[in-house]
Amino acid sequence: LLIVWEVHLISAKAMVYKKYYPNTKAKRWSLSKKEIPWSYHHPKYLPKKYNAPCPPDKVCDPEIYNVCYRYNSIDGSINRQSILGKYGVDKFCFPQNPKGRSGLRGRGELFRWGPNHYVQYVISRGVNVREYLVVNSHDKKNIIFPGEFVDNSRNITFPPMLLNFIESNLSEKYPENVVQEIIKNALKNRILRYHGYYADDRNTDNAWMETLIYDINDSDDSNLGLLDTEHLTNSLNLTWKIIDKSVIDSKIEVIVKRARLTFGQKVASIIRSALKALRDENKAGIMFAFGDAVNNFVGLSAIVITLVDMLSFSSAVVKFKLSHFINNKDIHSSMHFSSHCLWDLEQQKKISHRKTTWQMTDKEGSCGI
């Protein structure tokens, strides 16, 4: 399935933070909306600095460093690139939050200067009635899915602790080769629901969260649905819990909305949801899913839909072309998606042509989905 979109990009709105940094009395500098972008000259801006002690079981960037890190690139084993593109670095060699000033300097409670990558998995089993793998908690209001900070989210299968739980749990019932086959098959069915900036109160001027949310549904209990959280090793205190699928989808939608995405990024999120609907509904859901996607747009023109070979889903090609000019600025984005590969979103700015190009690239070098 190939979809091509051309849409106008709209600037993201400013982030909103609470007055005090979480679990501290560190008060954020008060900022008006116009003062938030780094492009606004603000010579009087001197916010407090806060760096939390590094937890004993974690590795953190030091509070003070003598050599500038390789920001906007792969720095050894650490990926200091942002999904939002190239971010600024000030004259003191501190990275600048791509969403603008936050009212507080420092690393805060996060582990790395710059982007902190958090990988989370929404794992479920069943079709009509779904059980989700969540952290076993007495708090009925909050649903916590297994997730973990990683230094480099590229080419990662599962976060280390989650992978260890899966392997340890399954190995008590199945031989090693079967366990690895189960994990391999599960990864073939995973869908990237969201990859982008995460609006979190732990973010500061110099450190922020970026999140990947993966979805794996084992409809026939043939891979991760085999995990036994009651009788076998359960190092993460996880449990299977029946939850309405619409509740999970709405929670992910809240994350997307809180991120104040650009219009182009919202398009990417909507299409990912459409692709997931296609997989959930099979062939019958194809027109419903894309009809729903189109209905999420207002003020767009020149919609062209071409569907080739409806009888064979594997060879179906859907092409959407949306073009819109605002304020006579020739700014477009194009997106390329495939339902047979796991794609990530990369932003490449072509300043000379005043265009922004969005490309979907196969990070794993595999199209086994």
Side-chain angles (χ1 to χ4, degrees), residues 270 274 278 285-297 305 320:
I270 290 170
L278 288 178
I286 189 166
M287 295 313 295
F288 169 80
F290 285 106
D292 182 67
V294 173
N295 288 335
N296 276 278
F297 299 101
I305 304 177
F320 286 74

Side-chain angles (χ1 to χ4, degrees), residues 243-261:
I243 305 173
D244 191 321
K245 178 177 175 294
S246 63
V247 173
I248 306 302
D249 291 339
S250 65
K251 285 186 176 295
I252 294 177
E253 183 61 25
V254 168
I255 292 174
V256 174
K257 287 181 178 179
R258 285 197 67 202
R260 272 73 168 184
L261 303 180

